[in-house]
Amino acid sequence: MKNLIAGNWKMNLLPGGVAGYAERFLPQVRDLAGVVDLLVCPNFPALAPAVEAFRNTPVAVGAQNMHQELSGAHTGEVSGTMLHDLGVGWVILGHSERRHIYGETDALILAKLKRAHELGLRPIVCVGELLEERERGETEQVLRRQFAESLAGVGSELLEKTTVAYEPVWAIGTGKTATPETAQEAHRLLRNQLEEKIGTAAKGIRILYGGSVKPENAAELLAQPDINGALVGGASLDPDAFAAIARAGA
Ligand code: PGA
């Protein structure tokens, strides 16, 4: 299985800066086509320029969130149909910032996941424990609950087409990366959950690691047997650093 290296730009970079980013990034990753899958997830206004800048390149474009309804009176929201219409292929769902700052629940994330599949968008669903939960020894319990309630409800066939991202909340944007062993342990747990649900097909599902991934630590994280890629925040804002991580994933 090829690694997926995904950049989550969060609320950073301007739409006008996308072409310049692509110009710097693309020459460094052109030879990785077919070896590693690449994805960038810009803010909503930057999606159209990103689709344009990365057309006919090895880099796919995804959104960071979407609404679960197709259209209607939802001021300030963006639907999956709109993403699809722009030519966006992927969407991140249930990122910890959506869960913890904007109160997204497992049930809401499941509704979004179902809608994304219905529209043919490729979803990446994020799970991960808070620092307090880890310190209380509740990591397994939290991951089991998030898996059962935000992922498994989609049914086996669609679960097989879903990418999972393990992002321990205490490692996001903090510079504190999970050690490769700690990350592997959580990924193994998620793989077991997938196996219980869909049997051997679980081996074909990518589980990305996210949380302070940098060029310096990417290779050892990606060497773990159950880590199949990375969801990169801060380091993906720098095209050189993101290209270095992409190379580590190849
Ligand atoms: P980070 O963010 O790499 O800046 O820690 C990861 C994420 O939130 O997806």
Side-chain angles (χ1 to χ4, degrees):
M1 183 163 38
K2 273 184 283 176
N3 279 316
L4 170 63
I5 306 297
N8 173 12
W9 293 357
K10 307 193 180 182
M11 199 171 72
N12 297 295
L13 301 186
L14 297 175
V18 173
Y21 183 105
E23 234 167 76
R24 213 152 117 211
F25 181 63
L26 286 170
Q28 305 186 59
V29 298
R30 279 214 194 270
D31 59 325
L32 301 183
V35 184
V36 63
D37 287 331
L38 299 171
L39 172 68
V40 290
C41 300
N43 55 70
F44 287 129
L47 283 171
V51 167
E52 192 54 41
F54 293 109
R55 199 186 299 285
N56 302 322
T57 75
V59 183
V61 176
Q64 300 168 13
N65 181 30
M66 59 171 248
H67 196 273
Q68 68 279 15
E69 299 295 333
L70 294 173
S71 65
H74 296 283
T75 302
E77 292 290 331
V78 171
S79 73
T81 34
M82 294 162 187
L83 300 177
H84 189 262
D85 185 68
L86 272 184
V88 169
W90 292 73
V91 63
I92 299 171
L93 299 175
H95 187 276
S96 72
E97 285 147 23
R98 300 301 317 168
R99 289 177 183 266
H100 299 296
I101 306 176
Y102 300 102
E104 291 198 6
T105 61
D106 286 316
L108 177 69
I109 295 157
L110 177 61
K112 292 182 180 201
L113 176 60
K114 287 180 177 165
R115 186 65 82 187
H117 277 304
E118 183 188 310
L119 294 168
L121 291 164
R122 302 177 72 177
I124 299 173
V125 178
C126 305
V127 297
E129 79 287 1
L130 297 164
L131 181 61
E132 307 89 272
E133 292 167 334
R134 174 160 286 269
E135 284 173 345
R136 288 198 298 261
E138 292 170 6
T139 300
E140 175 162 357
Q141 194 184 325
V142 170
L143 294 182
R144 280 184 179 277
R145 190 201 67 230
Q146 291 177 338
F147 178 83
E149 294 175 14
S150 60
L151 271 149
V154 84
S156 308
E157 209 177 299
L158 294 179
L159 192 54
E160 284 176 32
K161 296 183 188 153
T162 303
T163 300
V164 180
Y166 169 62
E167 298 207 308
V169 181
W170 47 271
I172 296 178
T174 58
K176 272 188 225 156
T177 322
T179 63
E181 296 71 32
T182 304
Q184 166 58 24
E185 204 178 299
H187 280 237
R188 185 65 236 166
L189 212 142
L190 288 163
R191 185 84 62 198
N192 289 344
Q193 299 287 291
L194 287 164
E195 265 159 19
E196 276 170 32
K197 193 82 193 162
I198 56 173
T200 53
K203 288 193 178 69
I205 297 186
R206 282 195 284 213
I207 309 177
L208 314 182
Y209 169 78
S212 300
V213 177
K214 306 267 181 292
E216 302 76 50
N217 60 25
E220 54 172 356
L221 286 161
L222 293 165
Q224 299 301 310
D226 288 295
I227 299 185
N228 316 113
L231 184 52
V232 186
S236 74
L237 299 176
D238 171 359
D240 300 336
F242 192 46
I245 295 170
R247 305 200 76 82

